[in-house]
């Protein structure tokens, strides 16, 4: 009943919000402040509706209702992204500060944090587990991953373990012995009559009354508390609670099983159609592709024939040259699909045969392409990192610590919001309409240690996406040549689109667009991707849940124009502010097994670590909380000086480096628009001041 009402209320709020937008957004608003307030109010309202719908979808067990809510959820996600896009275009900034609007609505900043829908992982948990199992098997067979060996115990460790167990045994024996002595001494202090007769009837009655009255009073208190909670509407009556709990648990299980069964039935129908109609379709396609192969090879038969002759003169005889053109094509396809062929790599082929090579991919299954990408190290296993682990619990400075008329640096919680909006929600939801503002390329820029790679893995963890690593260091020496590079991207694109959602990650992406001329060999030169990446993004459609993510520590080393042309969104990640550092210290210390006492001043650590990144803080905590230090913590609590000493050995992000990042971001399209808008508003403000002064002089 509660979650049905939550769904009903959320649907009513959505209808009211849509009606209000039809009335308010009918005429364009010229006032900048009023327009932003309208957009921010709608954004906050949609976020509340999204949160309620997601909770109702997760808790309801009615399968048809869940399907309806899911459709509404996807629509609300699309509307949130549209509101965010309009707010960015109006403010020319990715970060917005809406403290006053939240205060008017009597909301907390945590109320507008983007929730990660639980159905992103729940609905495909079985598929993800199976995929992880296959990935581990491929890596293990290819020798790229080894099973974790059982670490043998040294003699010292074995002696220490035996000593600990023996001392514990002796302690228990001594405790039992001391208890026995105490009972004997107590018994010796009693008289023989008391020992024989036991306690007096009055003492026995008093003890029984004490126990009974205590038991009765505790039951009365529990009953009164339960009745009070039922009266306040904070708890269900016992008969409803028992039935609702069991029904909810069984209902959720049945719902998930029903959804899985529906997917299995869909797969069964597809397999049945493939079995009945597949042979005819396959025969037709084979005829068409065969004719295309023959035409392509015939047009380039001289070059192709010379190519085969150069690599193995005995492979094809000179005689019957024109008659064996079809055989040459078939032989080529066979050799390419054969893993034992030592020169099966596409970069060894002339450019004119690239078309034939790409067409041959149509005959290869996704499983074979998936296996080859894993063996080449292009498809890797993402680390299990939740987005909430990036900072810890939600933190926000609020209006108190913000300086007047000074735009503050964004907190890490603000960065986390953008990652959820631009990376996680579009990959997990089914936003299929073409005008949806879905980001296909995202750039994370910032100093080393701010957690860019962690955010990439968090996107994959929260959405269950495949992770393709096309970093310059990873593709060096693989698939050299223009044809080889196109072949690699074609394989990645095909697998990524087939096994959606997918994340294509390019680390040190500034090397692809570097200003200087790379003197490395062609197959080692990362600039090879510069002209191919736009084609890769152009091949992605609006409904494809594939995201390109680039990370860089030195964005100022790249040519800005092609850089910004590839990446639609650029997120500049700053060093953590005071609030983020305070939460981060606390979160990392507890996560690594530490305990926070009065001797550990977290506020002092947050103040001293100004200028250091998240990576510095994590490394400092891990260095201090060694295995030996954790064993000593019960008798020697953690102190502030331990972390300060370790942190002092690292170099912080100096202000000059931070200014370089700010100056670079100011040259990006959004940064230029921001500066231009501020200059225009300042100019307009000066004009109004002059007009006011002239009016005063006339008076």
């Amino acid at each position: 009943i509660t979650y049905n009402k939550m769904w009903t209320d959320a649907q009513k709020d959505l209808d009211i919000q849509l009606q209000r937008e039809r009335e308010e957004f009918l005429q364009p608003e010229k006032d900048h402040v009023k327009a932003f307030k309208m957009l921010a109010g709608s954004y906050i309202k949609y976020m509340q509706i999204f949160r309620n719908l997601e909770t109702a979808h997760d808790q309801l067990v009615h399968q048809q209702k869940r399907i309806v809510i899911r459709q509404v959820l996807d629509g609300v996600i699309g509307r949130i992204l549209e509101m965010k896009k309009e707010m960015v275009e109006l403010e020319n900034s990715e970060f917005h500060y809406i403290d006053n609007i939240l205060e008017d609505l009597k909301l907390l900043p945590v109320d507008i944090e983007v929730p990660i829908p639980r159905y992103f992982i729940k609905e495909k948990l079985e598929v993800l587990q199976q995929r992880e199992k296959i990935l581990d098997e491929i890596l293990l067979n290819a020798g790229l991953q080894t099973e974790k060996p059982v670490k043998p115990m040294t003699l010292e460790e074995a002696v220490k373990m035996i000593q600990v167990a023996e001392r514990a045994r002796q302690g228990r024996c001594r405790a039992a012995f001391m208890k026995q002595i105490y009972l004997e001494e107590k018994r010796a202090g009693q008289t023989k009559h008391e020992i024989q007769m036991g306690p007096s009837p009055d003492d026995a009655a008093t003890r029984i009354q004490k126990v009974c009255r205590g038991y009765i009073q505790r039951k009365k208190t529990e009953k009164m508390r339960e009745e009070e909670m039922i009266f306040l509407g904070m708890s269900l009556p016992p008969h409803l609670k028992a039935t609702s709990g069991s029904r909810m648990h069984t209902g959720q299980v049945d719902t998930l099983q029903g959804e899985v069964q529906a997917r299995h039935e869909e797969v069964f129908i597809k397999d049945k159609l493939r079995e009945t109609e597949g042979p005819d379709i396959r025969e037709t396609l084979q005829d068409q592709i065969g004719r295309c192969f023959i035409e392509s090879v015939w047009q380039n038969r001289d070059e192709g024939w010379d190519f085969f002759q150069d690599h193995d003169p005995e492979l094809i005889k000179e005689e019957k040259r024109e008659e064996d053109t079809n055989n040459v094509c078939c032989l080529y396809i066979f050799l390419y699909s054969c893993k034992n062929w030592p020169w099966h790599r596409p970069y060894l082929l002339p450019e004119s045969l690239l078309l034939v090579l790409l067409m041959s991919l149509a005959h290869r299954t996704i499983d074979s392409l998936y296996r080859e990408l894993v063996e080449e190290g292009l498809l890797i296993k993402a680390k299990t990192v939740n987005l909430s682990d990036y900072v810890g619990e939600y933190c926000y400075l609020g209006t108190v610590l913000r300086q007047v008329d000074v735009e503050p640096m964004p907190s890490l919680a603000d960065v986390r919001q953008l990652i959820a909006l631009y990376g996680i929600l579009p990959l997990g939801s089914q936003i299929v309409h073409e005008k949806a503002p879905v980001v296909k390329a995202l750039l994370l820029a910032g100093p080393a240690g701010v957690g860019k790679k962690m955010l990439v893995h968090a996107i994959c963890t929260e959405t269950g996406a495949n992770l393709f690593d096309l970093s310059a260091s990873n593709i060096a020496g693989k698939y050299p040549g223009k044809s080889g590079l196109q072949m690699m991207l074609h394989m990645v694109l095909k697998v990524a689109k087939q096994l959606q959602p997918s994340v294509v990650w390019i680390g040190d992406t500034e090397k692809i667009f570097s200003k200087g001329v790379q003197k490395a060999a062609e197959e080692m030169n990362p600039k090879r991707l510069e002209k191919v990446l736009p084609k890769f993004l152009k091949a992605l459609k609006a409904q494809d849940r594939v995201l390109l993510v680039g990370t860089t520590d030195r964005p100022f080393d790249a040519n800005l124009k092609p850089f910004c042309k590839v990446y639609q969104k650029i997120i500049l990640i700053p060093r953590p502010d005071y609030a983020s550092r305070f939460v981060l210290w606390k979160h990392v210390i507890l996560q690594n097994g530490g305990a926070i006492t009065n001797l550990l001043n977290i506020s002092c650590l947050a103040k001293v670590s100004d200028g250091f990144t998240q990576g510095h803080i994590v490394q400092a905590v891990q260095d201090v909380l060694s295995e030996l230090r954790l064993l000593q913590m019960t008798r020697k609590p953690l102190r502030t000086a331990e972390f300060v000493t370790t942190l002092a050995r690292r170099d912080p992000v100096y202000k000059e480096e931070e200014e370089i990042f700010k100056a670079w971001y100011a040259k990006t399209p959004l940064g230029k628009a921001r500066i231009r808008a501020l200059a225009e508003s300042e100019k307009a403000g000066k004009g109004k001041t002059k007009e006011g002064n002239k009016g005063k002089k006339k008076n």
Side-chain angles (χ1 to χ4, degrees):
I1 298 174
T2 305
Y3 297 111
N4 273 320
K5 188 176 185 304
M6 181 182 290
W7 173 33
T8 305
D9 293 342
Q11 190 66 46
K12 289 180 181 178
D13 293 340
L14 181 60
D15 294 338
I16 294 172
Q17 176 64 23
L18 292 174
Q19 182 62 32
R20 188 175 69 84
E21 287 182 1
R22 293 189 190 99
E23 297 173 357
E24 292 184 356
F25 295 175
L26 189 61
Q27 296 295 332
E29 180 61 57
K30 296 182 180 180
D31 191 306
H32 181 278
V33 177
K34 289 183 179 179
F36 179 75
K37 192 171 182 179
M38 290 168 56
L39 290 173
S42 298
Y43 176 82
I44 294 171
K45 193 63 180 176
Y46 277 121
M47 196 63 71
Q48 290 178 302
I49 294 170
F50 174 42
R51 189 181 294 273
N52 293 333
L53 283 175
E54 195 278 327
T55 304
H57 177 271
D58 184 67
Q59 296 298 326
L60 283 176
V61 296
H62 197 287
Q63 189 172 351
Q64 283 76 15
K65 290 181 181 179
R66 287 168 57 88
I67 294 173
V68 174
I69 297 176
R70 173 68 185 277
Q71 294 175 351
V72 180
L73 261 175
D74 291 337
V76 171
I77 290 174
R79 191 60 181 148
I80 288 174
L81 296 179
E82 289 175 354
M83 290 289 107
K84 178 65 178 179
K85 180 185 177 183
E86 294 184 12
M87 290 167 67
V88 171
E89 291 176 351
L90 185 64
E91 289 280 292
N92 294 309
S93 175
E94 296 288 353
F95 303 101
H96 314 291
Y97 305 103
I98 50 180
D99 303 25
N100 52 349
I101 301 176
L102 292 174
E103 188 177 354
D104 294 340
L105 297 173
K106 294 181 173 52
L107 296 174
L108 297 174
V110 71
D111 293 330
I112 62 168
E113 186 177 16
V114 182
I116 307 300
R118 283 157 281 193
Y119 65 83
F120 283 2
I121 298 297
K122 274 187 176 181
E123 291 186 352
K124 52 183 179 181
L125 185 60
E126 186 179 349
V127 176
L128 293 176
Q129 291 174 347
Q130 186 68 21
R131 185 193 302 169
E132 186 175 0
K133 183 179 178 182
I134 295 173
L135 185 59
D136 290 336
E137 181 183 347
I138 296 173
L139 292 173
L140 193 63
N141 294 335
L144 302 174
Q145 176 180 307
T146 57
E147 293 183 351
K148 293 183 179 179
V150 179
K151 186 179 179 181
M153 187 179 295
T154 62
L155 180 62
E156 291 79 7
E157 292 175 344
V159 171
K160 185 178 179 180
M161 182 176 290
I162 293 173
Q163 286 177 344
V164 170
E166 178 61 22
R167 287 169 183 169
R169 187 192 67 81
Q170 292 178 4
R172 290 192 295 269
C173 292
R174 182 166 181 80
F177 178 68
M178 295 302 295
K179 182 179 180 181
Q180 185 178 359
I181 293 175
Y182 168 75
L183 293 176
E184 289 178 356
E185 289 178 353
K186 185 177 179 181
R187 194 178 297 112
Q190 296 176 349
T191 62
K192 292 183 179 179
H193 179 72
E194 289 178 346
I195 296 174
Q196 293 175 356
M197 298 299 296
S200 64
D202 292 339
D203 293 340
T206 302
R207 291 184 182 181
I208 294 172
Q209 288 176 352
K210 182 180 178 180
V211 174
C212 292
R213 289 176 180 175
Y215 175 79
I216 293 171
Q217 187 58 43
R218 285 193 297 273
K219 285 295 183 182
K220 286 183 179 180
T221 305
E222 290 178 3
K223 187 176 180 181
M224 290 173 60
R225 187 181 293 114
E226 186 177 355
E227 289 176 352
E228 182 182 6
M229 298 297 285
I230 294 173
F231 175 74
L232 294 174
M234 300 179 67
S235 179
L236 291 173
H239 63 283
L240 292 179
K241 187 184 295 184
T243 55
S244 64
S246 60
R247 287 177 182 175
M248 184 173 296
H249 176 70
T250 56
Q252 288 181 345
V253 173
D254 293 341
T255 302
L256 291 175
Q257 290 178 350
E259 293 177 357
V260 172
Q261 184 179 357
R263 287 195 292 270
H264 286 330
E265 290 177 355
E266 184 179 353
V267 172
F268 175 76
I269 293 173
K270 289 182 179 179
D271 292 341
K272 195 69 177 176
L273 285 174
R274 190 179 293 110
E275 183 181 349
T276 55
E277 304 292 337
D280 295 336
I281 298 175
R282 189 182 300 111
E283 185 177 353
T284 304
L285 290 176
Q286 284 178 349
D287 292 340
Q288 294 177 358
I289 295 173
R291 285 196 299 271
C292 186
F293 282 166
I294 294 172
E295 292 174 2
S296 177
V297 175
W298 179 262
Q299 292 172 1
N300 303 282
R301 60 187 181 278
D302 293 332
E303 186 177 1
W305 192 274
D306 295 337
F307 169 74
F308 286 122
Q309 286 282 356
D310 292 340
H311 282 82
D312 193 348
E314 297 297 326
L315 188 65
I316 302 172
K317 300 298 182 182
E318 189 67 29
E319 54 189 2
K320 298 183 180 179
R321 183 168 180 170
E322 294 186 0
E323 290 80 357
D324 288 345
T325 302
N326 193 18
N327 296 334
V328 171
C329 178
C330 297
L331 179 62
Y332 162 69
I333 297 170
F334 167 74
L335 291 176
Y336 171 71
S337 62
C338 180
K339 298 295 287 187
N340 296 325
W341 184 30
W343 41 281
H344 74 284
R345 293 292 185 202
Y347 53 78
L348 293 175
L349 294 174
E351 297 293 335
S352 59
L353 292 179
L354 178 63
L355 177 63
V356 183
L357 183 60
L358 292 177
M359 288 183 176
S360 66
L361 279 177
H363 291 280
R364 297 190 61 186
T365 62
I366 293 296
D367 293 338
S368 64
L369 294 175
Y370 182 89
R371 185 175 295 274
E372 181 173 344
L373 290 174
V374 173
E375 291 174 352
E376 291 292 335
L378 300 178
L379 200 158
I380 63 175
K381 187 176 181 180
K383 298 179 181 177
T384 304
V385 180
N386 294 320
L387 189 62
S388 58
D389 295 333
Y390 181 62
V391 183
E393 62 185 25
Y394 191 86
C395 63
Y396 200 77
L397 283 176
T399 56
V400 179
L401 299 181
R402 298 193 186 281
Q403 300 177 5
V404 180
D405 295 331
V406 177
E407 184 179 3
M409 286 292 291
S411 66
L412 297 183
D414 297 324
V415 174
R416 190 167 68 182
Q417 294 278 79
L418 294 181
I419 296 299
L421 286 172
Y422 295 147
I424 296 177
L425 292 186
L427 283 180
S429 59
Q430 299 284 349
I431 308 173
V432 295
H433 58 94
E434 296 180 357
K435 296 184 179 180
V438 177
V439 176
K440 294 299 182 184
L442 180 65
L443 176 66
L444 305 180
V450 294
K452 300 181 289 294
K453 189 175 179 180
M454 179 182 179
L455 290 173
V456 174
H457 288 278
I459 294 174
C460 297
T461 301
E462 298 288 2
T463 60
N466 295 288
L467 180 58
F468 298 86
D469 184 5
L470 300 186
S471 303
S473 58
N474 192 38
I475 65 172
K478 302 175 183 177
Y479 300 93
K482 183 179 178 182
S483 59
L485 194 63
Q486 291 181 356
M487 191 65 189
M488 178 193 70
L489 286 178
H490 188 80
M491 292 169 63
V492 171
L493 181 64
K494 185 173 181 179
V495 177
K497 292 175 72 172
Q498 187 70 24
L499 303 178
Q500 301 179 28
S502 299
V503 174
V504 180
W505 170 48
I506 303 179
D508 298 329
T509 186
E510 79 281 353
K511 295 180 180 179
I512 299 174
F513 306 92
S514 59
K515 299 176 183 177
V517 179
Q518 299 284 342
K519 296 183 180 180
E522 177 64 24
E523 64 271 10
M524 305 293 289
N525 194 344
K527 286 181 68 66
R528 300 184 297 145
L529 283 171
E530 183 177 358
K531 295 183 179 180
V532 188
L533 277 181
K535 299 178 182 178
F536 177 84
L537 292 173
K538 192 175 180 180
L540 295 177
K541 299 179 181 178
Q543 61 268 25
D544 292 333
R545 293 183 295 155
V546 180
L547 177 67
L548 175 67
V549 182
T551 57
T552 174
D553 299 338
R554 301 181 60 83
F556 32 80
D557 290 345
N559 287 314
L560 192 60
K561 188 174 180 181
F563 206 37
C564 297
K565 188 177 180 181
V566 168
Y567 294 105
Q568 298 170 263
K569 289 292 181 181
I570 299 175
I571 300 177
L572 181 60
I573 305 177
R575 55 182 176 81
D577 57 2
Y578 173 82
S580 300
R581 294 194 302 273
F582 184 89
V583 174
L584 193 62
W585 275 108
K586 185 177 178 182
H587 176 71
V588 176
I589 290 173
L590 294 175
Q591 192 179 45
N592 286 271
I596 298 175
T597 61
N598 294 331
L599 297 175
L600 184 60
N601 193 336
I602 300 295
S603 179
C604 177
L605 286 175
K607 188 68 178 175
V608 171
S609 58
D610 187 14
F612 291 91
T613 63
Q614 303 93 293
H616 292 145
I617 294 174
V618 172
Q619 290 174 2
V621 172
Q622 290 176 350
D623 290 346
V624 172
L625 296 179
S626 61
E627 186 176 353
L628 179 61
R629 186 65 185 89
L630 291 174
L631 293 174
Q632 298 173 347
M633 200 159 42
T634 53
R635 55 186 177 82
K636 185 181 176 183
L638 294 173
R639 294 178 178 272
T640 309
E642 297 181 67
F643 297 100
V644 175
T645 305
T646 309
L647 193 67
R649 301 192 188 103
R650 293 171 172 81
D651 294 329
V653 178
Y654 295 103
K655 195 166 185 178
E656 292 79 8
E657 185 179 354
E658 191 174 350
E659 291 299 325
I660 292 175
F661 276 96
K662 289 182 181 178
W664 170 81
Y665 188 77
K667 297 177 183 178
T668 62
L670 193 61
K672 288 180 180 179
R674 177 73 173 171
I675 294 174
R676 190 163 52 249
L678 291 175
E680 291 176 358
S681 62
E682 185 178 354
K683 185 177 179 180
K686 288 182 179 179
K688 290 182 180 179
T689 305
K690 289 181 180 179
E691 290 178 2
N693 292 335
K694 288 180 181 179
K696 288 181 181 180
K697 289 180 180 180
K698 289 180 180 180
N699 293 332

